[in-house]
Amino acid sequence: IDSGHGIDNGLSEIALQNFDGVYLKSSEADIGAAATRGVSTGVFPTEPDATFANVELFNLPGPTTWPITMVTYIYLEQDWSTKDR
């Protein structure tokens, strides 16, 4: 269960220690900070056909960065010219 659903259902939340040593609850953290850091440090590929196999957003630096962050993506075929519409 993600934190949003847990909070909505009245579950308690613990604080996790991030890379900078700060203890945060997800409701206090900047969830997007890990993605921002990933973009600025080159964690994400710059080419659309590059592999995302090495993209890792766990425990990145930043005082408000949530330490457990992941990205969702989908694979699409590059050539759709032969697909029925």
Side-chain angles (χ1 to χ4, degrees):
I1 188 169
D2 66 63
S3 64
H5 286 97
I7 291 168
D8 288 348
N9 289 303
L11 298 176
S12 298
E13 183 178 24
I14 63 166
L16 296 178
Q17 185 178 18
N18 69 11
F19 182 89
D20 286 11
V22 178
Y23 284 88
L24 297 167
K25 293 182 178 181
S26 66
S27 57
E28 304 164 336
D30 179 358
I31 303 298
T36 299
R37 180 69 126 186
V39 170
S40 68
T41 59
V43 171
F44 288 101
T46 56
E47 298 299 319
D49 59 348
T51 181
F52 274 67
N54 297 317
V55 173
E56 186 176 301
L57 300 178
F58 294 110
N59 209 27
L60 293 178
T64 62
T65 303
W66 185 245
I68 303 174
T69 305
M70 64 184 87
V71 64
T72 301
Y73 56 92
I74 60 172
Y75 287 104
L76 297 174
E77 291 188 41
Q78 289 181 326
D79 182 0
W80 283 59
S81 64
T82 60
K83 300 294 179 192
D84 292 334
R85 295 179 192 243

